[in-house]
Amino acid sequence: MNSNAHRLCFAIACAIALLPACRAGAARPAPVSPATAEAAASPRVLAGAGAVAFHPSRPLLAWSDGKRWHVLDLHTDRVADFTGDSEIADLGYAPDGDLWLVGDRAERWRDGRRSCRSEAADLSRVLGTARDGIAAAGYGHSDGVGPLRHPVWIDPRCGITRYPAEPLPAGAADASADEGGIAGKDTRSPRAVPKGFVAPAGTSAKPIAVSHDGRWWVGGDAGRLHLYRATGGR
């Protein structure tokens, strides 16, 4: 065998020996920097510190910020922004997915468009939602009685039925703790936190709302809203 043949055989042998290493290198994923991993695990801070509610069946989160409100698609990370005419005191999703906003008036929104608007009303809370309307309330104070709530029922066309003022339910020190409803109306809370839900160790956030599938939750911490991905959802 001449010298050229020897060189060719040697080159082929080297290429065969290096092939497994090349394949392993091609299959190995690019390393993730510690900074990227830490950022992905950290909670998302929501703009403003208003009301918050998860959609009852879709991966959507709505929250308010003054006269603005936002809807985040939890799967695509896209945010739709809206601006109203007045401050938004509270919001909540109806079982059919329509979004209710309350404040100086009550508004029902469907697919990013307002479907109705109520007459003037001083509302502070969405107490509960149902297919045939929502229970809401404004609040005041009476000497000798203390804090009072002024409950209303708002139908799907934004018509308001007003009920007599009444003291806050037992155990509710103020409007923010009022979880009551309206007698005879079967409603669901706009911010559901499953019984026994505990925030993971390492966070001081207080759970406010949990998504319908348990994959996401929002906590309040130092006056701000934080969105977390749950470790064990359905």
Side-chain angles (χ1 to χ4, degrees):
M1 184 179 293
N2 59 31
S3 59
N4 288 335
H6 278 294
R7 291 192 188 96
L8 179 60
C9 291
F10 180 77
I12 294 173
C14 289
I16 294 173
L18 290 173
L19 185 59
C22 293
R23 288 176 176 171
R28 187 180 300 115
V32 179
S33 67
T36 302
E38 182 179 353
S42 63
R44 175 176 185 156
V45 179
L46 304 180
V52 61
F54 285 100
H55 192 283
S57 59
R58 296 173 58 193
L60 300 176
L61 171 69
W63 77 96
S64 63
D65 174 19
K67 294 182 180 181
R68 297 172 57 82
W69 74 98
H70 319 274
V71 178
L72 168 66
D73 187 316
L74 297 166
H75 281 181
T76 66
D77 205 38
R78 294 179 179 175
V79 180
D81 301 309
F82 304 89
T83 302
D85 300 326
S86 59
E87 296 286 324
I88 300 168
D90 200 2
L91 52 77
Y93 277 104
D96 62 4
D98 284 1
L99 181 64
W100 283 93
L101 311 174
V102 302
D104 292 342
R105 300 174 185 271
E107 298 182 356
R108 184 181 178 107
W109 285 71
R110 178 178 301 167
D111 298 327
R113 295 185 178 183
R114 188 173 66 197
S115 59
C116 67
R117 188 182 191 192
S118 77
E119 63 188 42
D122 184 13
L123 301 173
S124 301
R125 293 267 299 185
V126 176
L127 299 176
T129 64
R131 292 190 178 279
D132 58 341
I134 66 168
Y139 296 85
H141 189 278
S142 175
D143 293 338
V145 178
L148 292 175
R149 72 171 177 176
H150 301 268
V152 300
W153 179 257
I154 306 170
D155 65 36
R157 296 184 177 181
C158 293
I160 294 181
T161 300
R162 302 177 186 273
Y163 292 78
E166 58 189 16
L168 292 182
D174 54 32
S176 63
D178 184 5
E179 299 296 338
I182 293 179
K185 299 292 186 180
D186 184 15
T187 59
R188 57 183 293 174
S189 170
R191 280 164 292 278
V193 177
K195 185 177 180 180
F197 182 88
V198 178
T203 176
S204 58
K206 178 182 177 182
I208 296 175
V210 179
S211 64
H212 72 282
D213 57 6
R215 295 178 181 272
W216 303 86
W217 64 281
V218 172
D221 192 6
R224 308 195 73 178
L225 297 174
H226 295 76
L227 172 64
Y228 295 84
R229 184 191 294 272
T231 55
R234 294 194 295 274

